[in-house]
PDB file of all heavy atoms in Angstrom:
ATOM      1  N   ALA B  71     105.544-131.463   3.439  1.00 97.00           N
ATOM      2  CA  ALA B  71     106.634-132.287   3.966  1.00 97.00           C
ATOM      3  C   ALA B  71     106.097-133.561   4.611  1.00 97.00           C
ATOM      4  O   ALA B  71     106.694-134.632   4.487  1.00 97.00           O
ATOM      5  CB  ALA B  71     107.448-131.485   4.979  1.00 97.00           C
ATOM      6  N   ALA B  72     104.957-133.443   5.300  1.00 97.00           N
ATOM      7  CA  ALA B  72     104.356-134.616   5.946  1.00 97.00           C
ATOM      8  C   ALA B  72     103.875-135.626   4.904  1.00 97.00           C
ATOM      9  O   ALA B  72     104.082-136.844   5.060  1.00 97.00           O
ATOM     10  CB  ALA B  72     103.204-134.174   6.844  1.00 97.00           C
ATOM     11  N   VAL B  73     103.232-135.148   3.850  1.00 98.00           N
ATOM     12  CA  VAL B  73     102.784-136.049   2.781  1.00 98.00           C
ATOM     13  C   VAL B  73     103.981-136.752   2.144  1.00 98.00           C
ATOM     14  O   VAL B  73     103.950-137.966   1.884  1.00 98.00           O
ATOM     15  CB  VAL B  73     101.982-135.263   1.717  1.00 98.00           C
ATOM     16  CG1 VAL B  73     101.753-136.118   0.470  1.00 98.00           C
ATOM     17  CG2 VAL B  73     100.649-134.814   2.289  1.00 98.00           C
ATOM     18  N   TYR B  74     105.049-136.017   1.903  1.00 97.00           N
ATOM     19  CA  TYR B  74     106.271-136.603   1.332  1.00 97.00           C
ATOM     20  C   TYR B  74     106.816-137.696   2.243  1.00 97.00           C
ATOM     21  O   TYR B  74     107.172-138.792   1.772  1.00 97.00           O
ATOM     22  CB  TYR B  74     107.305-135.497   1.126  1.00 97.00           C
ATOM     23  CG  TYR B  74     108.605-135.971   0.523  1.00 97.00           C
ATOM     24  CD1 TYR B  74     108.803-135.952  -0.850  1.00 97.00           C
ATOM     25  CD2 TYR B  74     109.648-136.422   1.332  1.00 97.00           C
ATOM     26  CE1 TYR B  74     110.006-136.382  -1.405  1.00 97.00           C
ATOM     27  CE2 TYR B  74     110.847-136.853   0.786  1.00 97.00           C
ATOM     28  CZ  TYR B  74     111.015-136.837  -0.581  1.00 97.00           C
ATOM     29  OH  TYR B  74     112.212-137.271  -1.127  1.00 97.00           O
ATOM     30  N   ALA B  75     106.891-137.411   3.544  1.00 97.00           N
ATOM     31  CA  ALA B  75     107.453-138.376   4.489  1.00 97.00           C
ATOM     32  C   ALA B  75     106.572-139.615   4.601  1.00 97.00           C
ATOM     33  O   ALA B  75     107.084-140.743   4.682  1.00 97.00           O
ATOM     34  CB  ALA B  75     107.622-137.724   5.857  1.00 97.00           C
ATOM     35  N   LEU B  76     105.265-139.440   4.601  1.00 96.00           N
ATOM     36  CA  LEU B  76     104.359-140.588   4.714  1.00 96.00           C
ATOM     37  C   LEU B  76     104.384-141.440   3.437  1.00 96.00           C
ATOM     38  O   LEU B  76     104.307-142.665   3.511  1.00 96.00           O
ATOM     39  CB  LEU B  76     102.942-140.101   4.995  1.00 96.00           C
ATOM     40  CG  LEU B  76     102.715-139.475   6.378  1.00 96.00           C
ATOM     41  CD1 LEU B  76     101.336-138.840   6.462  1.00 96.00           C
ATOM     42  CD2 LEU B  76     102.891-140.517   7.481  1.00 96.00           C
ATOM     43  N   HIS B  77     104.503-140.787   2.306  1.00 96.00           N
ATOM     44  CA  HIS B  77     104.542-141.527   1.045  1.00 96.00           C
ATOM     45  C   HIS B  77     105.823-142.343   0.921  1.00 96.00           C
ATOM     46  O   HIS B  77     105.810-143.453   0.381  1.00 96.00           O
ATOM     47  CB  HIS B  77     104.430-140.557  -0.131  1.00 96.00           C
ATOM     48  CG  HIS B  77     104.477-141.220  -1.470  1.00 96.00           C
ATOM     49  ND1 HIS B  77     103.429-141.963  -1.968  1.00 96.00           N
ATOM     50  CD2 HIS B  77     105.449-141.265  -2.418  1.00 96.00           C
ATOM     51  CE1 HIS B  77     103.740-142.434  -3.158  1.00 96.00           C
ATOM     52  NE2 HIS B  77     104.967-142.030  -3.457  1.00 96.00           N
ATOM     53  N   HIS B  78     106.931-141.809   1.416  1.00 94.00           N
ATOM     54  CA  HIS B  78     108.219-142.478   1.307  1.00 94.00           C
ATOM     55  C   HIS B  78     108.592-143.247   2.572  1.00 94.00           C
ATOM     56  O   HIS B  78     109.769-143.539   2.789  1.00 94.00           O
ATOM     57  CB  HIS B  78     109.317-141.453   0.998  1.00 94.00           C
ATOM     58  CG  HIS B  78     109.191-140.834  -0.366  1.00 94.00           C
ATOM     59  ND1 HIS B  78     108.480-139.673  -0.596  1.00 94.00           N
ATOM     60  CD2 HIS B  78     109.675-141.226  -1.579  1.00 94.00           C
ATOM     61  CE1 HIS B  78     108.539-139.376  -1.873  1.00 94.00           C
ATOM     62  NE2 HIS B  78     109.250-140.295  -2.499  1.00 94.00           N
ATOM     63  N   ARG B  79     107.603-143.563   3.374  1.00 90.00           N
ATOM     64  CA  ARG B  79     107.887-144.282   4.622  1.00 90.00           C
ATOM     65  C   ARG B  79     108.340-145.707   4.315  1.00 90.00           C
ATOM     66  O   ARG B  79     107.994-146.277   3.276  1.00 90.00           O
ATOM     67  CB  ARG B  79     106.650-144.322   5.512  1.00 90.00           C
ATOM     68  CG  ARG B  79     105.543-145.227   5.012  1.00 90.00           C
ATOM     69  CD  ARG B  79     104.269-145.086   5.854  1.00 90.00           C
ATOM     70  NE  ARG B  79     103.268-146.058   5.473  1.00 90.00           N
ATOM     71  CZ  ARG B  79     102.424-145.901   4.460  1.00 90.00           C
ATOM     72  NH1 ARG B  79     102.483-144.816   3.712  1.00 90.00           N
ATOM     73  NH2 ARG B  79     101.544-146.840   4.171  1.00 90.00           N
TER      74      ARG B  79
END
Side-chain angles (χ1 to χ4, degrees):
V73 169
Y74 181 92
L76 291 171
H77 179 73
H78 293 91
R79 71 187 187 276

